[in-house]
């Protein structure tokens, strides 16, 4: 039953992605406006997701047209290193689904070089006094954010690729700071932790893209559970898996009846607030990662939770028969407190939905 359902969703995904491939061409999609994807600047954190979709579909189908469409993206994004740009900690999001996966699938040496350059850039953002990765630029020298958990994979990959453990030391030091300063005993995490960049002392949690400092921004919970599961996969350290499970338990317990989270689980009157389908898609893919690390009798909780969310997305939010909608999932929320990109398609929602369905279909290479 599940297998037939997965295959039918995969087929519909392929037809949707084929349409995107024809229409998007060289555009770097981020969010839809009236159903049409924008063309975002390449230093924006989302520039890797569309090529990531293309690489996954290439890996699954071996159809050369996807490889050709994906091929040039790491070189294009690399230009942000040599021109004025606002690249920051999200180079993992940008170079894992482009340069690193390209190298893994095709052995392309330039892909490897670009992936390592991105890893070095991220490692250079480590604050040794506070043991955290600096997130953003400008004046935000002491701010670290939960999203960085997803960027750690490029450091773990670089450690394996070069044999240099410094990359892994930095990734685990940051992950341990997340356990200490972001994670709460109830299985939730804050979005931003602010530190004194001189002394490294933790100052306070901030609400960021969530409703409040002590709320539970749903995509932030997804970044945490998925990133922690990855940290376990790379290190074998049980504390990361246990923490990932705890966040997943909160996520599943807080999920409304319809299987798709509000943009923040703790916003007042959450049932009347916009959904965030990207949080559901990312959490589903992360829960499949948790499941893959556990024996079957423990794994099924996370696998069933993932399938529940993916079914809710496929049945209630996918734009299967709407060619005028370029995005795959509607109902994404980018940044509600800033009033940006609410109830739209988001390329990262489309990416993690595709990735999760590919995992259910047996895709074994990993981007994150
Ligand atoms: N990484 C930024 C976001 O999740 O919106």
């Amino acid at each position: 039953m599940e297998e037939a359902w997965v295959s039918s969703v995969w087929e519909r995904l392929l037809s949707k992605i084929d349409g995107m491939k024809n229409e998007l061409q060289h555009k770097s999609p981020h969010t839809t406006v009236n159903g049409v994807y924008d063309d975002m600047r390449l230093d924006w954190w989302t520039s890797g997701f569309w090529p990531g979709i293309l690489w996954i579909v290439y890996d699954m189908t071996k159809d050369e047209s996807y490889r050709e469409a994906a091929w040039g993206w790491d070189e294009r994004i690399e230009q942000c290193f040599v021109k004025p740009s606002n690249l920051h900690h999200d180079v993992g999001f940008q170079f894992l689904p482009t340069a690193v996966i390209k190298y893994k699938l095709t052995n392309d040496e330039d892909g490897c070089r670009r992936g390592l350059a991105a890893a070095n850039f991220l490692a250079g953002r480590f604050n040794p006094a506070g043991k955290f990765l600096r997130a953003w630029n400008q004046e935000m020298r002491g701010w670290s954010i939960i999203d960085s958990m997803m960027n750690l994979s490029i450091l773990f990959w670089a450690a394996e690729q070069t044999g240099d453990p410094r990359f892994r030391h930095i990734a685990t030091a940051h992950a341990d700071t997340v356990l200490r300063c972001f994670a709460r005993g109830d299985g939730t995490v804050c979005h931003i932790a602010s530190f004194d960049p001189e002394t490294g002392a933790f100052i306070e949690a901030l609400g960021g893209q969530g409703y409040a400092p002590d709320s539970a921004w749903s995509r932030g919970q997804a970044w945490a559970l998925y990133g922690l599961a990855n940290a376990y996969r790379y290190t074998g350290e049980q504390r990361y898996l246990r923490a990932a499970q705890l966040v997943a338990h909160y996520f599943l317990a807080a999920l409304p009846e319809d299987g798709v989270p509000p943009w923040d689980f703790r916003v007042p009157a959450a049932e009347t607030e916009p959904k965030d389908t990207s949080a559901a898609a990312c959490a589903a893919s992360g829960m499949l990662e948790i499941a893959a690390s556990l024996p079957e009798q423990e794994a099924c909780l996370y696998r069933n939770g993932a399938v529940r969310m993916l079914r809710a997305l496929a049945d209630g939010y996918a734009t299967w028969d709407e060619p005028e909608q370029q995005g795959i999932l509607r109902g994404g929320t980018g940044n509600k407190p800033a009033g940006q990109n609410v109830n739209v398609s988001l390329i990262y929602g489309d990416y993690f939905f595709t990735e999760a369905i590919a995992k259910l279909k047996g895709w074994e290479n990993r981007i994150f």
Side-chain angles (χ1 to χ4, degrees):
M1 173 62 183
E2 192 182 298
E3 217 173 291
W5 174 77
V6 171
S7 292
S8 86
V9 174
W10 179 251
E11 289 310 313
R12 282 183 290 173
L13 261 177
L14 286 185
S15 122
K16 196 82 204 176
I17 293 167
D18 265 340
M20 291 165 85
K21 179 154 69 71
N22 289 335
E23 288 171 24
L24 294 177
Q25 298 290 330
H26 292 291
K27 272 172 46 169
S28 183
H30 158 237
T31 183
T32 52
V33 180
N34 298 325
V36 176
Y37 263 123
D38 60 352
D39 185 11
M40 196 55 165
R41 55 178 218 263
L42 290 177
D43 65 350
W44 189 245
W45 72 280
T46 55
S47 57
F49 290 111
W50 167 237
I53 291 175
L54 293 168
W55 280 119
I56 291 172
V57 176
Y58 166 67
D59 198 21
M60 293 285 285
T61 63
K62 299 301 174 211
D63 177 333
E64 288 295 320
S65 71
Y66 292 104
R67 192 174 86 105
E68 281 161 26
W71 189 266
W73 279 89
D74 55 324
E75 188 176 357
R76 287 180 67 197
I77 301 172
E78 182 192 32
Q79 298 311 305
C80 302
F81 277 125
V82 295
K83 290 189 186 139
S85 78
N86 191 37
L87 282 182
H88 48 52
H89 74 127
D90 278 334
V91 289
F93 277 127
Q94 293 166 285
F95 285 87
L96 285 163
T98 56
V100 177
I101 188 69
K102 179 191 202 179
Y103 172 62
K104 286 185 187 169
L105 298 184
T106 71
N107 236 2
D108 179 64
E109 286 299 329
D110 286 324
C112 183
R113 175 178 58 73
R114 292 177 187 126
L116 291 176
N120 273 297
F121 177 86
L122 181 57
R125 300 183 70 85
F126 186 65
N127 181 318
K131 298 187 170 50
F132 65 88
L133 287 164
R134 174 180 176 172
W136 296 315
N137 298 329
Q138 293 82 39
E139 301 308 307
M140 294 167 275
R141 297 183 180 88
W143 282 17
S144 185
I145 70 173
I146 195 63
D147 322 34
S148 282
M149 278 307 303
M150 291 297 289
N151 291 316
L152 297 188
S153 294
I154 202 161
L155 297 177
F156 288 124
W157 167 78
E160 287 178 353
Q161 184 62 31
T162 61
D164 185 339
R166 291 174 307 147
F167 294 105
R168 194 180 61 251
H169 294 328
I170 289 174
T172 53
H174 177 84
D176 288 335
T177 298
V178 165
L179 297 188
R180 210 175 57 250
C181 300
F182 289 70
R184 309 167 182 133
D186 65 358
T188 62
V189 294
C190 63
H191 183 200
I192 300 174
S194 168
F195 299 85
D196 180 326
E198 285 291 348
T199 66
F202 172 70
I203 301 172
E204 60 180 343
L206 300 168
Q209 283 164 246
Y211 169 68
D214 58 354
S215 72
W217 176 44
S218 55
R219 195 162 62 252
Q221 312 312 300
W223 295 145
L225 73 90
Y226 194 166
L228 286 162
N230 293 335
Y232 171 72
R233 191 178 81 240
Y234 278 108
T235 63
E237 294 292 344
Q238 286 289 327
R239 63 185 181 282
Y240 301 137
L241 180 58
R242 297 294 166 235
Q245 288 177 273
L246 193 61
V247 181
H249 297 169
Y250 173 81
F251 203 104
L252 291 173
L255 208 53
E257 195 71 17
D258 65 5
V260 179
W263 66 275
D264 190 308
F265 285 114
R266 289 181 176 156
V267 63
E271 61 289 353
T272 64
E273 288 283 322
K275 297 282 190 186
D276 183 12
T277 51
S278 78
C282 176
S285 195
M287 285 191 204
L288 292 176
E289 219 47 58
I290 296 175
S293 299
L294 291 167
E296 181 50 32
Q297 73 269 32
E298 287 180 62
C300 57
L301 172 72
Y302 309 97
R303 188 182 163 88
N304 292 345
V307 170
R308 180 181 163 213
M309 287 190 275
L310 294 169
R311 278 185 181 274
L313 295 175
D315 294 346
Y317 293 87
T319 61
W320 302 133
D321 300 316
E322 299 169 71
E324 70 285 0
Q325 292 289 329
Q326 282 184 338
I328 298 168
L329 296 180
R330 56 171 86 249
T333 293
N335 187 340
K336 180 68 171 44
Q340 289 164 355
N341 308 322
V342 177
N343 199 16
V344 289
S345 295
L346 295 165
I347 196 63
Y348 38 99
D350 290 356
Y351 170 85
F352 286 108
F353 183 68
T354 304
E355 182 190 80
I357 297 293
K359 285 179 184 175
L360 287 177
K361 210 161 157 51
W363 181 62
E364 284 187 343
N365 280 314
R366 289 288 181 265
I367 283 180
F368 289 98

